[in-house]
Amino acid sequence: GAVSANDNALWEKSTLNQILQRGELRVGLDVGYMPFEMKNKNGDIIGFDVDIAKAMAKAMGVKLTIVNTAWDGIIPALLTDKFDIIMGGMTITAERNLQVNFADPYLVIGQSLVVRKDLEGKVKTYKDLNSGDFKVTAKLGTTGQLAAERYLNKAEIRLFETESDAALEVVNGNADAFVYDLPFNAIYVQQNKGSVFHLGEPFTYEPLGFAIRKGDPDFMNFINNFMRQIKGDGTYDRFYEKWFES
Ligand code: ARG
């Protein structure tokens, strides 16, 4: 009858059906966001999101293709079918959720700060940086930019295309602090101990979720059940320990 014909049409259009027909899962992400996606010395794209993407493609029985995309254009790229899903540590925000659908959160993080070493002891919370005396950097189009504009609006805010350029400004002493997701900052500070310190108390609440195009209940159902399975069977914990606790 009418109901099953409708269900069929939905499934025909589903991204999941197209992935299976194509034999390929295309994942959009933005390389440089440690430890979720970055390049190793051989130039391979590795990280937490990449391991989950590989496991997802395997569960679908298809090959994985990674589509590296600049962050400020990543939602338009999803909407114009450059790939099937964003797996890039994207914070679920109401504004983004008007354009895309998010699977259930796979991790919760917050913004923290990479701060110039000279300011250690003087700057104790993000509030201390909210003054015209300070220059703050962030990556374009991120929730770091939003947090800077919201909580550090008295400081001079400078935006950069990549997280490495934005953070390097602080290392070089051209800026006082860089606002970004805590996991990235924790690693970055470890790698640049001599010149920066971590103001590591997160000051925002940010659930991260995979994003897909709207109107696709079949694909959403697969993603959420796949994630529930790997969270329950130890796979997710193995990935988490590999990328966040070493
Ligand atoms: N969680 C932040 C946001 O959603 C930053 C994510 C950046 N991800 C990336 N792959 N570069 O804006």
Side-chain angles (χ1 to χ4, degrees):
V3 171
S4 71
N6 184 47
D7 286 351
N8 239 348
L10 259 185
W11 171 240
E12 286 300 325
K13 281 195 306 181
S14 173
T15 297
L16 180 56
N17 187 28
Q18 286 162 22
I19 291 165
L20 298 179
Q21 305 268 335
R22 199 193 298 132
E24 178 192 36
L25 168 66
R26 301 167 308 167
V27 170
L29 46 71
D30 173 26
V31 169
Y33 174 64
M34 304 180 289
F36 295 79
E37 47 252 19
M38 59 259 189
K39 274 188 183 155
N40 68 11
K41 287 186 184 99
N42 303 324
D44 310 316
I45 299 172
I46 58 164
F48 185 58
D49 285 331
V50 178
D51 278 355
I52 297 176
K54 282 181 183 160
M56 191 183 284
K58 191 172 174 208
M60 292 170 170
V62 300
K63 76 164 192 160
L64 173 67
T65 300
I66 302 258
V67 184
N68 189 15
T69 305
W71 190 252
D72 61 336
I74 204 163
I75 288 181
L78 173 70
L79 298 181
T80 53
D81 199 29
K82 302 292 184 293
F83 42 78
D84 304 309
I85 183 171
I86 299 171
M87 299 178 76
M90 182 171 276
T91 302
I92 300 172
T93 68
E95 199 192 357
R96 288 170 176 164
N97 211 169
L98 299 174
Q99 297 179 270
V100 299
N101 279 6
F102 287 102
D104 296 341
Y106 66 109
L107 194 66
V108 176
I109 58 101
Q111 295 299 302
S112 72
L113 289 148
V114 174
V115 185
R116 206 152 55 77
K117 192 83 172 176
D118 312 1
L119 296 172
E120 198 160 13
K122 293 176 203 131
V123 168
K124 293 191 177 102
T125 112
Y126 71 93
K127 290 175 186 157
D128 297 334
L129 285 165
N130 194 19
S131 126
D133 298 341
F134 295 117
K135 287 186 195 115
V136 171
T137 66
K139 173 166 156 127
L140 192 67
T142 63
T143 48
Q145 175 183 353
L146 292 181
E149 286 164 353
R150 182 162 180 188
Y151 299 104
L152 304 170
N153 56 305
K154 290 187 184 132
E156 183 189 321
I157 299 167
R158 295 218 210 119
L159 302 174
F160 292 81
E161 192 70 52
T162 67
E163 43 279 268
S164 61
D165 285 348
L168 194 60
E169 287 292 287
V170 183
V171 168
N172 290 342
N174 297 328
D176 301 294
F178 166 61
V179 193
Y180 206 37
D181 297 22
L182 186 150
F184 176 94
N185 288 348
I187 298 170
Y188 192 84
V189 166
Q190 278 296 97
Q191 294 173 346
N192 296 275
K193 268 190 191 139
S195 40
V196 291
F197 74 98
H198 194 194
L199 214 56
E201 187 65 46
F203 61 99
T204 61
Y205 171 78
E206 304 198 15
L208 307 181
F210 302 140
I212 65 169
R213 288 179 289 276
K214 285 189 173 291
D216 195 338
D218 291 313
F219 192 23
M220 187 60 83
N221 180 256
F222 184 92
I223 298 162
N224 281 330
N225 284 308
F226 167 77
M227 291 306 289
R228 196 185 341 268
Q229 179 61 35
I230 68 165
K231 281 199 174 187
D233 71 13
T235 305
Y236 179 96
D237 290 344
R238 203 153 41 72
F239 295 161
Y240 187 88
E241 281 157 26
K242 174 175 166 193
W243 295 107
F244 291 88
E245 283 164 10
S246 56

